[in-house]
Amino acid sequence: MTEPVIQKLGGPAAWSGADLLAKRDWIRPLGGTAIAELDAALTAAKAQGLAWQDLTATDFPLPTLSDAMADVANALENGRGVVKLTGIPVDSYTEKDLRALY
């Protein structure tokens, strides 16, 4: 019987907890302007009466935040694969609203 070949993972997605503690670039704080834009987009999306899973980028307009969210998507898909968004006042939203925001 041959031994399985074990290859060490590499690249940006091969991180450890210590790596995340040492570097903070995976944490993205959202300030008041970003939160206000998210709130406006949520209000617009709710006015359409769509279920959260049916929302598209067109239904959830983020005129100034869309570039930052594209960067987050890129980091998730092509980078470390983990991003922490901070500053969102999750306790002020319903579970349904949070689904739409996410």
Side-chain angles (χ1 to χ4, degrees), residues 19 33 43-44 68 76-77 85 92:
D19 295 333
T33 302
T43 298
L76 291 171
E77 292 294 325
L85 298 176
S92 66

Side-chain angles (χ1 to χ4, degrees), residues 52 54 92:
W52 66 268
D54 296 326
S92 66

Side-chain angles (χ1 to χ4, degrees), residues 19-21 23-28 80 82-84:
D19 295 333
L20 294 182
L21 288 173
K23 295 183 179 179
R24 309 299 281 173
D25 60 339
W26 59 281
I27 300 173
R28 312 286 174 94
R80 249 186 218 105
V82 63
V83 172
K84 179 180 180 181

Side-chain angles (χ1 to χ4, degrees), residues 46-97:
K46 288 167 69 172
Q48 295 181 57
L50 297 171
W52 66 268
Q53 63 269 29
D54 296 326
L55 292 173
T56 66
T58 304
D59 303 317
F60 208 90
L62 298 172
T64 62
L65 197 53
S66 60
D67 287 345
M69 292 299 103
D71 185 52
V72 166
N74 184 55
L76 291 171
E77 292 294 325
N78 303 307
R80 249 186 218 105
V82 63
V83 172
K84 179 180 180 181
L85 298 176
T86 63
I88 300 172
V90 294
D91 292 338
S92 66
Y93 298 105
T94 66
E95 184 177 332
K96 186 176 177 180
D97 288 348

